[in-house]
């Protein structure tokens, strides 16, 4: 596997030797001193370029960075094309395990090449034309103190969508039930756990994308409780996971409410929990509740 220095030298040497590339920036975790280095970190690189179309018309120019396992060019995709406002990106996983997410940014956007992301550094500026950036910081990614309205909405969404999971389980619609548990209910639980970490740390750090650093900041038993909300693919186990999520949400949300002087919707909790229990024990051929 090529070292970080080898990768950076290769990227910058390419940029220096191609007159179309006028500047190079880097974003992401490699600019963040609070994130430990590891072999799976991407190189999030931005080339500020002239003649965008000449790059896009020649898809083989990226071959110079090495043999690839796979590449994705999102702006060329019909399934879920992103809106990068004129940029064009090459997401590349190489045979040696390195990954470069390389974005072409037209020179006309040089004043805002990083879209204001504070985890950005300038690596090369041939024309001394890019704005000066402060030292990179992950402050914009710190857990943010919720307003009372945000907190109430999180609670409402958790308990409301829990009823969809129950409905799907009673109907024996596994994918419907699992999708609502995974895509709606648990994200609200994770959001509440993030706020707990925020309260514990005076809202002074990031827990990472998808809460990936939560384990480092939660008590062991709390983390184990969160892991118990990920079920196996049986109806009984999804029911178990749903009630595990409810228990953890209840205790965490009550703690956050107490420490931030919010009101926990205890009536919603009691009413929905009772409803979930009724649905769980409802006969499969029942005609009414």
């Amino acid at each position: 596997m090529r070292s970080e220095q080898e990768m950076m030298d290769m990227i910058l040497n390419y940029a220096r030797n191609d007159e179309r590339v006028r500047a190079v920036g880097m974003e992401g975790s490699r600019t963040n001193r609070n994130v430990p280095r590891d072999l799976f970190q991407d190189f999030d690189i931005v080339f500020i370029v002239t003649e965008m179309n000449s790059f896009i018309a020649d898809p083989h120019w990226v071959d110079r960075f090495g043999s690839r396992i796979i590449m994705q060019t999102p702006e060329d995709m019909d399934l879920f094309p992103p809106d990068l406002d004129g940029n064009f990106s090459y997401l590349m996983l190489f045979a040696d395990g390195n990954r470069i997410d390389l974005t072409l940014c037209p020179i006309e956007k040089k004043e805002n090449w990083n879209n204001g992301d504070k985890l950005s550094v300038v690596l090369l500026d041939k024309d001394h034309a890019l704005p000066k950036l402060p030292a990179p910081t992950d402050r914009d990614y710190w857990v943010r103190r919720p307003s009372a309205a945000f907190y109430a909405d999180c609670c409402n969404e958790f308990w409301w969508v829990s009823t969809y999971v129950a409905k799907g389980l009673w109907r024996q619609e596994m994918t419907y039930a699992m999708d609502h548990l995974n895509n709606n209910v648990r994200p609200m639980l994770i959001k509440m756990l993030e706020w707990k970490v925020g309260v514990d740390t005076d809202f002074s750090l990031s827990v990472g994308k998808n809460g990936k650093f939560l384990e480092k900041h939660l008590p062991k038993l709390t983390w184990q409780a969160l892991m118990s909300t990920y079920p196996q693919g049986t109806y009984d186990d999804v029911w178990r996971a749903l009630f595990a999520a409810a228990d953890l949400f209840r205790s965490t949300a009550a703690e956050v409410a107490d420490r931030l002087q919010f009101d926990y919707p205890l009536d919603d909790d009691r009413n929905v929990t009772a409803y979930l229990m009724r649905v769980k024990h409802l006969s499969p051929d029942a005609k009414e509740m």
Side-chain angles (χ1 to χ4, degrees), residues 78-91:
D78 291 331
L79 182 59
F80 34 72
D83 180 10
L84 290 183
D85 191 26
N87 292 353
F88 195 92
S89 47
Y90 303 80
L91 314 182

Side-chain angles (χ1 to χ4, degrees), residues 59 103 153 179 207 235:
T103 299
D153 288 349
D179 275 359
V207 294
Y235 290 99

Side-chain angles (χ1 to χ4, degrees), residues 6-280:
E6 288 175 313
M7 293 295 291
M8 295 301 295
D9 288 345
M10 176 188 65
I11 291 165
L12 289 173
N13 284 337
Y14 179 90
R16 292 187 185 102
N17 292 321
D18 191 323
E19 283 299 308
R20 297 171 298 175
V21 182
R22 305 313 305 165
V24 180
M26 184 165 69
E27 303 170 309
S29 65
R30 287 186 181 273
T31 72
N32 187 354
R33 60 185 176 83
N34 294 321
V35 175
R37 288 280 193 267
D38 68 38
L39 70 166
F40 288 105
Q41 280 183 299
D42 305 340
F43 292 85
D44 294 306
I45 301 297
V46 179
F47 280 0
I48 295 90
V49 302
T50 61
E51 303 177 40
M52 281 275 292
N53 290 339
S54 65
F55 282 102
I56 297 170
D58 174 18
H60 299 293
W61 71 271
V62 293
D63 294 346
R64 305 175 203 188
F65 298 122
S67 175
R68 296 186 301 274
I69 293 173
I70 190 171
M71 179 171 73
Q72 185 176 98
T73 51
E75 287 73 31
D76 268 346
M77 300 180 74
D78 291 331
L79 182 59
F80 34 72
D83 180 10
L84 290 183
D85 191 26
N87 292 353
F88 195 92
S89 47
Y90 303 80
L91 314 182
M92 299 173 282
L93 176 62
F94 296 96
D96 69 350
N98 276 298
R99 172 171 162 166
I100 300 176
D101 289 355
L102 196 158
T103 299
L104 300 179
C105 173
I107 192 74
E108 294 78 17
K109 292 177 56 183
K110 66 178 185 292
E111 294 296 324
N112 192 34
W113 65 269
N114 63 339
N115 294 313
D117 190 338
K118 291 185 175 66
L119 280 176
S120 304
V121 295
V122 174
L123 302 177
L124 176 68
D125 186 359
K126 295 178 180 178
D127 307 314
H128 306 288
L130 298 189
K132 299 298 182 184
L133 298 179
T137 175
D138 63 358
R139 180 178 289 272
D140 285 351
Y141 298 93
W142 289 1
V143 178
R144 296 189 179 184
R145 180 186 297 270
S147 66
F150 268 50
Y151 171 85
D153 288 349
C154 180
C155 293
N156 181 267
E157 177 74 356
F158 179 90
W159 291 112
W160 172 253
V161 183
S162 294
T163 67
Y164 286 66
V165 181
K167 176 171 63 175
L169 292 172
W170 182 81
R171 287 175 171 172
Q172 298 279 285
E173 297 170 347
M174 178 61 83
T175 56
Y176 179 95
M178 289 277 274
D179 275 359
H180 282 86
L181 176 62
N182 294 334
N183 299 333
N184 302 90
V185 172
R186 193 181 302 101
M188 294 299 99
L189 171 58
I190 289 174
K191 176 60 67 178
M192 194 62 69
L193 289 167
E194 290 176 351
W195 288 337
K196 171 185 161 46
V197 171
V199 170
D200 290 342
T201 61
D202 197 24
F203 297 94
S204 62
L205 53 77
S206 167
V207 294
K209 187 177 181 180
N210 304 116
K212 63 184 179 180
F213 301 134
L214 272 175
E215 185 176 7
K216 293 166 40 177
H217 302 288
L218 291 175
K220 183 176 180 180
L221 289 178
T222 302
W223 177 256
Q224 291 173 344
L226 175 60
M227 292 300 97
S228 74
T229 70
Y230 291 83
Q232 299 178 6
T234 68
Y235 290 99
D236 285 345
D237 204 49
V238 180
W239 274 117
R240 180 204 56 74
L242 176 61
F243 282 107
D247 289 343
L248 182 55
F249 187 88
R250 178 183 301 112
S251 61
T252 306
E255 178 185 351
V256 170
D258 180 64
R259 296 176 71 180
L260 294 181
Q261 298 185 321
F262 294 159
D263 294 321
Y264 178 64
L266 188 57
D267 286 344
D268 287 351
D269 178 339
R270 289 171 173 167
N271 292 339
V272 172
T273 300
Y275 172 85
L276 298 179
M277 290 297 296
R278 289 204 308 274
V279 175
K280 184 177 188 299

